[in-house]
Amino acid sequence: MGEIMTAEAQVRRVADKLELESRYGMTKEFIQHGSVSVYEHCISVAAESVRLAKAMNLKVDTDALIRGALLHDYFLYDWHDNPDGRHNVHGFTHPYTALKNAKEDFDLSKKECDIIVHHMFPLVPLPPMSREAWLVCLADKICATKETLLMRKAQTA
Protein backbone atom coordinates (compact mmCIF):
# COMPACT_ATOMS: atom_id res chain seq x y z
CA MET A 1 0.00 0.00 0.00
CA GLY A 2 1.41 3.42 -1.01
CA GLU A 3 2.43 5.94 1.59
CA ILE A 4 0.36 9.13 1.66
CA MET A 5 2.68 12.12 1.84
CA THR A 6 1.73 15.42 3.41
CA ALA A 7 1.81 18.54 1.24
CA GLU A 8 4.90 19.69 3.15
CA ALA A 9 6.72 16.40 2.53
CA GLN A 10 5.87 16.49 -1.19
CA VAL A 11 7.14 20.06 -1.44
CA ARG A 12 10.33 19.43 0.54
CA ARG A 13 11.26 16.53 -1.71
CA VAL A 14 10.98 18.72 -4.82
CA ALA A 15 12.73 21.68 -3.14
CA ASP A 16 15.66 19.46 -2.14
CA LYS A 17 16.00 18.33 -5.76
CA LEU A 18 15.90 21.91 -7.05
CA GLU A 19 18.61 22.89 -4.57
CA LEU A 20 20.90 20.15 -5.82
CA GLU A 21 20.41 21.09 -9.48
CA SER A 22 20.58 24.90 -9.43
CA ARG A 23 20.96 28.20 -7.61
CA TYR A 24 17.76 27.49 -5.66
CA GLY A 25 19.60 27.52 -2.33
CA MET A 26 20.28 31.23 -2.88
CA THR A 27 16.63 31.92 -2.06
CA LYS A 28 17.52 31.19 1.59
CA GLU A 29 19.73 34.30 1.59
CA PHE A 30 16.99 36.80 0.74
CA ILE A 31 14.14 38.04 2.93
CA GLN A 32 10.66 38.09 1.46
CA HIS A 33 8.28 39.38 4.17
CA GLY A 34 9.29 40.28 7.73
CA SER A 35 11.89 37.70 8.75
CA VAL A 36 10.64 35.03 6.31
CA SER A 37 13.13 34.08 3.61
CA VAL A 38 12.17 33.74 -0.04
CA TYR A 39 12.91 30.01 0.36
CA GLU A 40 10.53 29.63 3.33
CA HIS A 41 7.89 31.72 1.56
CA CYS A 42 8.06 29.55 -1.58
CA ILE A 43 7.84 26.35 0.50
CA SER A 44 4.74 27.75 2.22
CA VAL A 45 3.15 28.82 -1.07
CA ALA A 46 3.77 25.41 -2.64
CA ALA A 47 2.32 23.52 0.35
CA GLU A 48 -0.68 25.88 0.54
CA SER A 49 -1.29 25.38 -3.20
CA VAL A 50 -1.36 21.60 -2.77
CA ARG A 51 -3.69 21.91 0.23
CA LEU A 52 -6.03 24.24 -1.69
CA ALA A 53 -6.18 21.85 -4.65
CA LYS A 54 -7.03 18.96 -2.31
CA ALA A 55 -9.59 20.99 -0.34
CA MET A 56 -11.34 22.04 -3.55
CA ASN A 57 -11.01 18.53 -4.98
CA LEU A 58 -9.40 19.92 -8.13
CA LYS A 59 -7.64 17.74 -10.65
CA VAL A 60 -4.25 19.38 -11.15
CA ASP A 61 -0.77 18.58 -12.39
CA THR A 62 0.74 18.33 -8.92
CA ASP A 63 4.33 18.23 -10.20
CA ALA A 64 3.88 21.45 -12.19
CA LEU A 65 1.96 23.03 -9.29
CA ILE A 66 4.76 22.35 -6.82
CA ARG A 67 7.66 23.27 -9.13
CA GLY A 68 5.93 26.44 -10.33
CA ALA A 69 5.13 27.48 -6.77
CA LEU A 70 8.68 26.83 -5.62
CA LEU A 71 10.04 28.91 -8.51
CA HIS A 72 7.47 31.72 -8.49
CA ASP A 73 9.85 34.07 -6.63
CA TYR A 74 13.12 32.85 -8.15
CA PHE A 75 14.31 36.44 -8.69
CA LEU A 76 17.59 35.94 -6.74
CA TYR A 77 18.14 39.44 -5.34
CA ASP A 78 17.33 41.36 -2.17
CA TRP A 79 14.44 43.59 -3.14
CA HIS A 80 14.76 45.45 0.16
CA ASP A 81 18.25 46.65 -0.84
CA ASN A 82 17.21 49.49 -3.14
CA PRO A 83 19.82 52.27 -3.26
CA ASP A 84 19.08 53.29 -6.85
CA GLY A 85 15.29 52.84 -6.65
CA ARG A 86 15.11 50.12 -9.29
CA HIS A 87 13.28 47.75 -6.92
CA ASN A 88 10.47 50.27 -6.40
CA VAL A 89 8.50 48.32 -9.01
CA HIS A 90 9.53 44.88 -7.69
CA GLY A 91 5.89 43.77 -7.34
CA PHE A 92 5.33 44.38 -11.04
CA THR A 93 8.64 43.11 -12.44
CA HIS A 94 9.90 40.22 -10.32
CA PRO A 95 7.73 37.54 -12.00
CA TYR A 96 9.58 38.19 -15.26
CA THR A 97 12.97 38.06 -13.53
CA ALA A 98 11.94 34.84 -11.77
CA LEU A 99 10.88 33.30 -15.08
CA LYS A 100 14.15 34.35 -16.77
CA ASN A 101 16.22 32.81 -13.95
CA ALA A 102 14.12 29.64 -13.85
CA LYS A 103 14.49 29.19 -17.62
CA GLU A 104 18.26 29.54 -17.26
CA ASP A 105 18.37 26.74 -14.69
CA PHE A 106 15.51 24.39 -15.64
CA ASP A 107 13.43 23.03 -18.48
CA LEU A 108 9.99 24.40 -17.67
CA SER A 109 6.57 23.25 -18.78
CA LYS A 110 4.00 25.70 -20.13
CA LYS A 111 2.09 25.46 -16.83
CA GLU A 112 5.21 26.17 -14.77
CA CYS A 113 5.89 29.29 -16.87
CA ASP A 114 2.25 30.36 -16.45
CA ILE A 115 2.50 29.93 -12.67
CA ILE A 116 5.70 31.94 -12.37
CA VAL A 117 4.82 34.85 -14.62
CA HIS A 118 1.18 35.28 -13.54
CA HIS A 119 1.38 34.77 -9.77
CA MET A 120 1.20 38.54 -9.16
CA PHE A 121 -2.12 39.02 -10.97
CA PRO A 122 -3.62 41.65 -10.97
CA LEU A 123 -0.31 43.59 -10.70
CA VAL A 124 0.76 41.59 -13.73
CA PRO A 125 -2.17 42.47 -16.01
CA LEU A 126 -2.70 39.09 -17.71
CA PRO A 127 -4.52 36.54 -15.55
CA PRO A 128 -3.31 33.00 -14.93
CA MET A 129 -4.20 30.57 -17.71
CA SER A 130 -4.32 27.31 -15.72
CA ARG A 131 -5.85 25.97 -12.51
CA GLU A 132 -2.36 25.50 -11.15
CA ALA A 133 -1.43 29.15 -11.77
CA TRP A 134 -4.67 30.37 -10.16
CA LEU A 135 -3.97 28.20 -7.10
CA VAL A 136 -0.44 29.59 -6.72
CA CYS A 137 -1.72 33.14 -7.23
CA LEU A 138 -4.21 32.61 -4.40
CA ALA A 139 -1.79 30.71 -2.14
CA ASP A 140 0.85 33.42 -2.60
CA LYS A 141 -1.58 36.08 -1.39
CA ILE A 142 -2.66 33.95 1.59
CA CYS A 143 0.94 33.28 2.63
CA ALA A 144 2.11 36.87 2.04
CA THR A 145 -0.78 38.15 4.15
CA LYS A 146 0.07 35.76 7.01
CA GLU A 147 3.77 36.65 6.83
CA THR A 148 3.04 40.39 6.79
CA LEU A 149 0.56 40.17 9.66
CA LEU A 150 3.03 38.13 11.73
CA MET A 151 5.68 40.77 11.02
CA ARG A 152 3.35 43.56 12.16
CA LYS A 153 2.29 41.56 15.24
CA ALA A 154 5.95 41.05 16.20
CA GLN A 155 6.63 44.78 15.79
CA THR A 156 3.76 45.73 18.13
CA ALA A 157 4.54 43.08 20.75
Side-chain angles (χ1 to χ4, degrees):
M1 190 166 213
E3 177 184 327
I4 297 176
M5 290 178 56
T6 64
E8 289 79 8
Q10 286 178 287
V11 168
R12 290 277 178 195
R13 183 164 42 166
V14 177
D16 290 347
K17 189 173 190 289
L18 294 180
E19 260 193 274
L20 291 173
E21 298 174 352
S22 70
R23 300 174 284 171
Y24 196 73
M26 289 176 63
T27 60
K28 293 177 180 178
E29 300 171 23
F30 305 117
I31 295 299
Q32 182 65 316
H33 306 112
S35 61
V36 177
S37 72
V38 172
Y39 179 89
E40 293 168 311
H41 169 74
C42 290
I43 294 282
S44 296
V45 170
E48 185 69 21
S49 297
V50 171
R51 284 191 295 270
L52 287 169
K54 287 180 182 174
M56 291 187 244
N57 200 28
L58 295 175
K59 183 178 180 192
V60 296
D61 179 341
T62 304
D63 293 335
L65 178 69
I66 292 172
R67 274 178 43 109
L70 289 172
L71 295 169
H72 83 277
D73 280 341
Y74 196 52
F75 46 81
L76 304 177
Y77 60 81
D78 183 354
W79 65 273
H80 302 89
D81 181 20
N82 194 24
D84 59 4
R86 68 188 167 120
H87 296 317
N88 290 348
V89 292
H90 169 79
F92 298 92
T93 60
H94 79 271
Y96 304 103
T97 304
L99 181 61
K100 176 186 160 293
N101 291 338
K103 282 183 171 182
E104 288 173 4
D105 290 358
F106 306 102
D107 290 326
L108 301 175
S109 71
K110 185 176 177 181
K111 279 187 184 176
E112 291 164 347
C113 291
D114 179 35
I115 290 165
I116 296 166
V117 82
H118 294 123
H119 79 274
M120 285 300 290
F121 180 77
L123 291 183
V124 173
L126 295 175
M129 302 300 287
S130 65
R131 280 188 189 126
E132 293 82 358
W134 275 109
L135 287 166
V136 172
C137 185
L138 177 60
D140 184 47
K141 284 151 185 58
I142 291 168
C143 292
T145 299
K146 287 179 184 176
E147 292 161 7
T148 302
L149 290 176
L150 288 175
M151 173 181 65
R152 297 212 193 282
K153 184 177 178 182
Q155 289 173 345
T156 59

